[in-house]
Each structure stands twice: as structure tokens, then as C-alpha cells.
């Protein structure tokens, strides 16, 4: 179980811990099965190359899920994800490390909610942000 | 690269905005939720055994992507064969749990035409609203799809 981060612990500019993931072709097949997205560019190299890609590519929706896992992991068991946006700007390939990074962009209260906006993204081995996004989470207060 | 010449008229745009898909329903199964969590590489126990904070098992935030075929049909023919997913904006209002039945409807929010590096593109903004069996909206997903 991950540790809980509290609203009082967070300030604008604070960085989220960097996480590196190593998606494999096997994971893309798992994701195809679990999501029902069987488009061949994600597991059939010949097919992918016939469409002009250099190799099979990671599902955009899997990258969206990775950013979701990154943010909810950081927000801890009592954190609640309220919003998650993601843009697919570049292709990512399996068998290459993909790095999740982020920082806190805004800390505010709205109604009963302690909200934190984060800027998050996935980076390829060349350091390009292939998958930028934003997230809003509610964090518990130490005085709850 | 497409060499089509296609014009999105104001009339076509007006006819498209507001078009909805047929509703699609899916019963949420515990095993499916666990397999999805495993596939995305998320070992959060909320998705397999539940936690005190979540009050039982919940589905990961993008699990609803597993609902397929939620596509409003455009009321005109466009000469594009390829489709790119540009991204998504998810808003969450409640948890999705095993035992729920979720019904999704997609709606065309906007459609526009642009020419970029891959040639002419038709860019549609589709908002999917996901409701549970109590008719409560649990999430919305606004996504950008690019045809070219």
C-alpha cells in the first residue's frame, strides 16, 4: 500500500517522483485483450510496417492509463482523481523505457474539495514529451 | 497522405453537432477489472481486492475504454480511411464497481476541417457520457478523433 500524501504537504511547483516503465509487446497484447482494442498496429509488426510505422506502437489509451496510474499512485489510497486529460503527440514503442514525470501546477479549495492540479507527461528515451496531460486530484487533509 | 478534396460546409457541420450514438451497455465484471489493471501495469489493490478508502473494488480510471462501438455516425460521407486518436479529457463523478451496468452515449460536440502535415483532416470532438444503473453520471470522456 502506498503512503498517503496530504493536501498540506503539497505546494505549487513540487515535482512528482519520476517513474520509469518498460512496456513489452506482451503488455500490448494484454491491453488489447483487456480493452478489446485489437487494431493490428499494436501487435503485428508486419501490419504496422505496412502502414508506414517503424514498428508496433503502444496504444494511446494504454498511455492514458499509465498516466492515470501515475497520478492515482501519487495521490495515495485516499486521493481521488477528478479529471485527467491527455494528448497523443508522438508514437511510443514497446521495449523502450517510457518515463512518467510531473509537477504540481495549482493548489486550491473548491467547496468541500482540496484540489491539486498537476501537469504530467510521458517521455520517450530521447526526452521528447510524447504524451502530455493534466490531472486534478482531491487530497485528504491532515485535519480530516 | 490523402489527395481528396473535401469541404466541410456549414450545413454539414450544423447537421453533425449534437448527433448521438446508440446507447451501449456493459456489465462490469470483477475478473475483467482485475485483468485490465494487470494489463495497464497498475498493482493498486483498489482494483483487485478493494481498500477501506474505496469501500470495495473499483475500476481503474480509464477502464471505461473497454466499452467499444460508441461512435456517433456522421450524417455525410467523408473520403477518409484512416483514424487517429488525438487524446481524451476525462471527468470523474463517481466510482465504477463490479456489479454495475454502465451505459454510454457518444455525442458530436464539434467538427472541423484542417490541413496539416498528414494532409487534409477532419477533426471531431466526441463527448461520451457514462451512466450507471441508477442513472448517475459516473464519468464523461471528451475525445478528439482525427480522420485523414
Amino acid at each position: 500500500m502506498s503512503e498517503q500524501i496530504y493536501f498540506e504537504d503539497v505546494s505549487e511547483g513540487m515535482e512528482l517522483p519520476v517513474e520509469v516503465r518498460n512496456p513489452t509487446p506482451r503488455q500490448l497484447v494484454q491491453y488489447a485483450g483487456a480493452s478489446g482494442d485489437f487494431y493490428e498496429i499494436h501487435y503485428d509488426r508486419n501490419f504496422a510496417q505496412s502502414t508506414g510505422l517503424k514498428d508496433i506502437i503502444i496504444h494511446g489509451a494504454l498511455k492514458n492509463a499509465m498516466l492515470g496510474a501515475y497520478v492515482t499512485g501519487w495521490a495515495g489510497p485516499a486521493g481521488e482523481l477528478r479529471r485527467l486529460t491527455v494528448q497523443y503527440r508522438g508514437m511510443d514503442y514497446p521495449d523502450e523505457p517510457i518515463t512518467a514525470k510531473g509537477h504540481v501546477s495549482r493548489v486550491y479549495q473548491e467547496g468541500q474539495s482540496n484540489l491539486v492540479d498537476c501537469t504530467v507527461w510521458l517521455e520517450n528515451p530521447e526526452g521528447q514529451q510524447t504524451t502530455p496531460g493534466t490531472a486534478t486530484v482531491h487530497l485528504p487533509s491532515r485535519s480530516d | 497522405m490523402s489527395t481528396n478534396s473535401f469541404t466541410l460546409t456549414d450545413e454539414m457541420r450544423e447537421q453533425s453537432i449534437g448527433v448521438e450514438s446508440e446507447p451501449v451497455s456493459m456489465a462490469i465484471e470483477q475478473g475483467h477489472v482485475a485483468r485490465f489493471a494487470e494489463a495497464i501495469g497498475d498493482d493498486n489493490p483498489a482494483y483487485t481486492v478493494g481498500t477501506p478508502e474505496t469501500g470495495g473494488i473499483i475500476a481503474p480510471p480509464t477502464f471505461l475504454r473497454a466499452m467499444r462501438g460508441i461512435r456517433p455516425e456522421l450524417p455525410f460521407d467523408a473520403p477518409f480511411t484512416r483514424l487517429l486518436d488525438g487524446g481524451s479529457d476525462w471527468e470523474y463523478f463517481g466510482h465504477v464497481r463490479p456489479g454495475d451496468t454502465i451505459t454510454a452515449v457518444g455525442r458530436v460536440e464539434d467538427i472541423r476541417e484542417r490541413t496539416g502535415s498528414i494532409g487534409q483532416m477532419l477533426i471531431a470532438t466526441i463527448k461520451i457520457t457514462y451512466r450507471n444503473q441508477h442513472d448517475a453520471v459516473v464519468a464523461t470522456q471528451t475525445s478528439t478523433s482525427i480522420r485523414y
Side-chain angles (χ1 to χ4, degrees):
Chain A
M1 180 72 74
S2 57
E3 265 177 58
Q4 185 59 54
I5 189 164
Y6 292 91
F7 188 62
E8 291 81 0
D9 303 336
V10 173
S11 57
E12 284 171 26
M14 181 178 165
E15 291 191 4
L16 276 63
V18 173
E19 277 182 26
V20 181
R21 299 204 173 212
N22 292 283
T24 56
R26 177 193 172 96
Q27 187 180 4
L28 303 199
V29 171
Q30 278 186 300
Y31 186 76
S35 70
D37 181 350
F38 290 103
Y39 190 22
E40 291 85 347
I41 58 171
H42 304 301
Y43 55 85
D44 181 338
R45 177 165 292 139
N46 290 338
F47 183 91
Q49 289 176 343
S50 79
T51 70
L53 295 166
K54 73 166 186 179
D55 201 346
I56 57 172
I57 58 167
I58 300 176
H59 299 75
L62 175 55
K63 298 195 288 180
N64 188 349
M66 286 176 177
L67 279 181
Y70 180 56
V71 171
T72 52
W74 176 75
E80 290 171 20
L81 183 65
R82 298 286 170 83
R83 189 168 186 180
L84 178 64
T85 74
V86 60
Q87 291 180 311
Y88 308 128
R89 293 253 181 92
M91 312 290 182
D92 286 286
Y93 303 90
D95 291 331
E96 289 183 355
I98 188 163
T99 305
K101 295 182 180 177
H103 56 80
V104 172
S105 51
R106 190 177 167 214
V107 179
Y108 55 109
Q109 289 182 302
E110 212 173 78
Q112 302 296 308
S113 294
N114 305 315
L115 299 179
V116 178
D117 288 350
C118 299
T119 299
V120 291
W121 65 93
L122 298 176
E123 240 176 61
N124 67 15
E126 286 75 47
Q128 293 159 331
Q129 292 189 18
T130 60
T131 318
T134 61
T136 302
V137 294
H138 161 79
L139 292 182
S141 165
R142 289 194 180 276
S143 60
D144 281 348
Chain B
M1 175 89 54
S2 148
T3 52
N4 305 295
S5 78
F6 168 79
T7 306
L8 180 73
T9 63
D10 287 346
E11 192 187 1
M12 287 153 83
R13 200 167 166 271
E14 278 162 28
Q15 285 171 351
S16 302
I17 292 172
V19 168
E20 293 192 344
S21 71
E22 291 296 315
V24 173
S25 291
M26 186 170 83
I28 308 301
E29 298 163 354
Q30 186 177 332
H32 189 189
V33 169
R35 276 203 312 282
F36 189 93
E38 188 187 3
I40 65 172
D42 193 339
D43 60 4
N44 189 328
Y47 311 138
T48 48
V49 293
T51 66
E53 291 85 359
T54 55
I57 298 171
I58 60 169
T62 63
F63 177 76
L64 295 169
R65 281 299 292 244
M67 296 187 69
R68 310 209 63 85
I70 313 157
R71 202 166 286 284
E73 294 221 12
L74 295 178
F76 56 84
D77 290 321
F80 304 107
T81 54
R82 291 183 170 174
L83 187 67
L84 264 182
D85 185 354
S88 281
D89 178 354
W90 293 86
E91 290 190 77
Y92 298 103
F93 306 100
H95 289 308
V96 174
R97 301 175 186 276
D100 284 349
T101 296
I102 304 297
T103 300
V105 174
R107 179 182 189 276
V108 180
E109 297 286 298
D110 192 21
I111 188 158
R112 55 208 184 277
E113 185 194 344
R114 221 180 81 193
T115 300
S117 56
I118 52 174
Q120 198 180 23
M121 301 178 281
L122 191 62
I123 304 171
T125 305
I126 310 289
K127 183 175 187 176
I128 302 176
T129 301
Y130 299 93
R131 288 187 162 81
N132 66 15
Q133 66 277 18
H134 308 297
D135 206 33
V137 175
V138 289
T140 60
Q141 178 195 0
T142 305
S143 57
T144 308
S145 76
I146 301 158
R147 286 163 223 245
Y148 66 104

